[in-house]
Amino acid sequence: MPQAVKITPEELLKLRDDCMERLREAKIHELRNDAKLRAVNTTQTYDEFKDIVDAAHLQPVSKRDKMNAKTKSRLWNSAAREE
């Protein structure tokens, strides 16, 4: 009878991290693909299309984020300071 293979805690942690990373990658792929399907019908230039797809994973800043003491003083729009 074959012996059972023992999995170390380190291997379990690595497996968990790998699984979580693949789930994140799959979610981003799904968001980008949905954005492509929407953008292909609504944009007039490639630059507009690319901007929509590139921003697909972004979420609006919530009121809770703005009021959080740790993030309250954060510069949310770094491009605004460059002017």
Side-chain angles (χ1 to χ4, degrees):
M1 180 176 279
Q3 289 237 331
V5 177
K6 294 196 178 201
I7 299 174
T8 66
E10 293 81 18
E11 290 172 326
L12 281 175
L13 289 173
K14 178 158 177 30
L15 180 61
R16 184 197 66 187
D17 292 344
D18 289 347
C19 289
M20 294 304 292
E21 180 62 27
R22 289 182 190 224
L23 287 172
R24 281 189 289 273
E25 289 172 359
K27 182 65 177 170
I28 289 175
H29 175 77
E30 180 182 344
L31 290 170
R32 290 178 58 91
N33 191 55
D34 290 346
K36 287 176 186 178
L37 294 174
R38 282 191 313 273
V40 82
N41 293 318
T42 60
T43 58
Q44 295 184 6
T45 66
Y46 175 75
D47 288 334
E48 288 177 5
F49 176 85
K50 185 177 180 316
D51 288 344
I52 289 173
V53 173
D54 288 346
H57 68 287
L58 300 177
Q59 296 179 345
V61 177
S62 70
K63 187 173 184 175
R64 191 178 88 210
D65 289 334
K66 292 178 188 177
M67 300 309 291
N68 184 339
K70 291 181 180 178
T71 59
K72 190 172 187 174
S73 62
R74 179 179 293 166
L75 179 63
W76 293 101
N77 182 0
S78 59
R81 183 173 276 176
E82 293 176 5
E83 292 180 16

